[in-house]
Each structure stands twice: as C-alpha cells, then as structure tokens.
Amino acid sequence: MCIRDRNGFSFSDLSITKKIHAITSISVVVFLVSAIINYSAMVDNKHALDELQTTSYKVVQLATSNKYLLEKLDDLYTQAVTFGDGELVDKADITKAEIYDNLKELNRLDKSYQSGSEISHLNQYAEISSKIARGMIDGTADFSKIQQDAKDKTEKYDVLLKGFKSIQNKADSRFIELVQSTQERSDEALFLMLSISIVMLIGLIAVSY
C-alpha cells in the first residue's frame, strides 16, 4: 500500500534513515506530550489530595462534631433544669468550650466556611441558657422575664444549628468535589494518552509504508 499526497509524495519514497528519524521524532513528541499531560494531572491531583488531607477532611470532622456537640449542649441545659442538677450546667460549659475550640480551629483551617458570627452566637446562647438553668436550680429565676429568655434561647439555638448545618454541607460538598475532580483528571489524562497513542500508531503505520 502506497499513500501519496497531491504532489505525488509518499512515505515509501523516504530512505530507511529518514523513516527511522521520522519514527523517532513521532515517538519523542508522543512521549513529551504524554509526560506533560501526566505531570499536569499529577500536580493538580497532588494539590487536591493535599487539601483533602490537611484541610477538607478535618473540616468535615469538625463541622460534624460541632453539630453533635450543639445538640448535646442543648440537652445538657434542658436536663439541668429538669433534674435541678448544677453539675449538668458545668458539663454544658465544658461542651461549650469544645465547640468554641472547634470553631477557632475551623477558622484557622479555612475561614470561608464560617460567616464570622458563630462564636458570638454561641456565647450569647450559652449565656442565656446558663442563666435560665442556674436561675431555675437555685430559685433566683425572674419569672417575669423567663419566657422572653426562653424565646431568645430557642432563637439563638436555631441560628447556631442552621449555621453549623451550613458549614457541614459546605464541607461535605467540598470533600466530594475534591475526590471527584481527582478521579476526573485521572480519567481525562488516561483518555488523552490513549488518543495520542492511537494517533502515534497511525502515524507509525503511515511512515512504515
């Protein structure tokens, strides 16, 4: 089989030496292009995996923990009032401190997940809840204000819970996005390499005739 262009040129007209040079050139070009594609995919994947390891995974853990701890905190304040147990208020203070530390760590890892008002809302919620619980336990509660305090407590809790759920959803979405993008880049690199290999094969066949 002889493939000629419009001017009557055919690869079969080339000398063995030139054919060898042509095949070598095609191989080098394919190798370089493949190397560039692989390197680019590896660099992007490394960045994604670094973020997964150093930031995203920890953010998911902290966000999930905060939602659980907030629900635990609310239960402790409620139980403290129900059972008249001041020790439960002390435990609530410890739980509140855990949430505070988690929020500070979240802010250190990536500020974009928070609105910036979470700590303020947490302090306000804990202050109102502790006031109600201790007042009911030691009998110093002002019943003329307790209904409003309870309403404020519920509102602060709802705002916090909504904020923590939002942080958790953002963290989960980012984690999934990083995993998927890593897989997609690997698949794209493989597809491009296979495509280039097929083109190279066709080129080598053409040169060999």
Side-chain angles (χ1 to χ4, degrees), residues 23 25 31 46 51 66 71 75 90 97 110 112 123 128-129 140-141 162 170 173 182:
I23 292 172
S25 298
F31 171 78
K46 183 180 184 302
E51 183 178 343
N66 270 357
E71 293 170 344
D75 286 340
D90 294 333
D110 192 333
S112 67
N123 288 334
I128 295 173
S129 299
T140 60
K162 182 179 179 180
K170 288 179 183 178
S173 296
T182 300

Side-chain angles (χ1 to χ4, degrees), residues 7 33 48-49 59 70 80 88 104 114 127 172 180 195-196:
N7 297 319
V33 173
L49 291 173
V59 169
L70 180 62
L88 291 175
K104 297 291 285 186
Q114 300 185 66
E127 182 180 354
D172 289 343
Q180 289 179 338
S195 300
I196 292 170

Side-chain angles (χ1 to χ4, degrees), residues 2-13:
C2 182
I3 302 174
R4 295 180 179 275
D5 64 14
R6 293 176 181 177
N7 297 319
F9 172 78
S10 171
F11 284 113
S12 62
D13 296 332

Side-chain angles (χ1 to χ4, degrees), residues 48 51-52 56 173-182 185:
E51 183 178 343
L52 278 170
S56 187
S173 296
R174 180 57 180 164
F175 185 88
I176 293 172
E177 179 186 349
L178 287 170
V179 173
Q180 289 179 338
S181 65
T182 300
R185 277 191 292 268

Side-chain angles (χ1 to χ4, degrees), residues 56-70 102-103 106 109 113 161 163-172:
S56 187
Y57 179 68
K58 292 180 181 179
V59 169
V60 169
Q61 286 184 311
L62 291 170
T64 302
S65 176
N66 270 357
K67 181 176 174 293
Y68 161 76
L69 288 173
L70 180 62
N102 285 349
L103 289 173
L106 273 171
L109 290 169
Y113 287 97
L161 185 60
F164 287 177
K165 285 181 177 179
S166 176
I167 293 172
Q168 185 177 18
N169 289 336
K170 288 179 183 178
D172 289 343

Side-chain angles (χ1 to χ4, degrees), residues 15 26 32 63 116 163 202:
S15 66
I26 292 174
L32 290 175
I202 293 173

Side-chain angles (χ1 to χ4, degrees), residues 53-176:
Q53 183 178 3
T54 62
T55 304
S56 187
Y57 179 68
K58 292 180 181 179
V59 169
V60 169
Q61 286 184 311
L62 291 170
T64 302
S65 176
N66 270 357
K67 181 176 174 293
Y68 161 76
L69 288 173
L70 180 62
E71 293 170 344
K72 176 184 176 182
L73 181 62
D74 192 60
D75 286 340
L76 286 170
Y77 283 129
T78 300
Q79 291 175 20
V81 173
T82 302
F83 299 113
D85 190 345
E87 290 185 1
L88 291 175
V89 180
D90 294 333
K91 289 182 179 180
D93 291 339
I94 295 173
T95 301
K96 181 250 182 179
E98 290 182 56
I99 298 175
Y100 176 86
D101 290 341
N102 285 349
L103 289 173
K104 297 291 285 186
E105 180 64 10
L106 273 171
N107 190 60
R108 185 190 70 80
L109 290 169
D110 192 333
K111 295 180 181 180
S112 67
Y113 287 97
Q114 300 185 66
S115 66
S117 61
E118 287 83 5
I119 289 179
S120 175
H121 287 147
L122 175 64
N123 288 334
Q124 292 171 16
Y125 166 76
E127 182 180 354
I128 295 173
S129 299
S130 181
K131 174 186 173 184
I132 293 174
R134 292 191 185 280
M136 293 296 290
I137 292 169
D138 59 24
T140 60
D142 185 347
F143 287 94
S144 65
K145 297 181 180 179
I146 198 167
Q147 186 174 359
Q148 183 60 45
D149 287 341
K151 181 181 177 181
D152 291 343
K153 170 182 176 290
T154 300
E155 289 177 353
K156 297 297 181 185
Y157 175 80
D158 289 341
V159 169
L160 272 174
L161 185 60
K162 182 179 179 180
F164 287 177
K165 285 181 177 179
S166 176
I167 293 172
Q168 185 177 18
N169 289 336
K170 288 179 183 178
D172 289 343
S173 296
R174 180 57 180 164
F175 185 88
I176 293 172

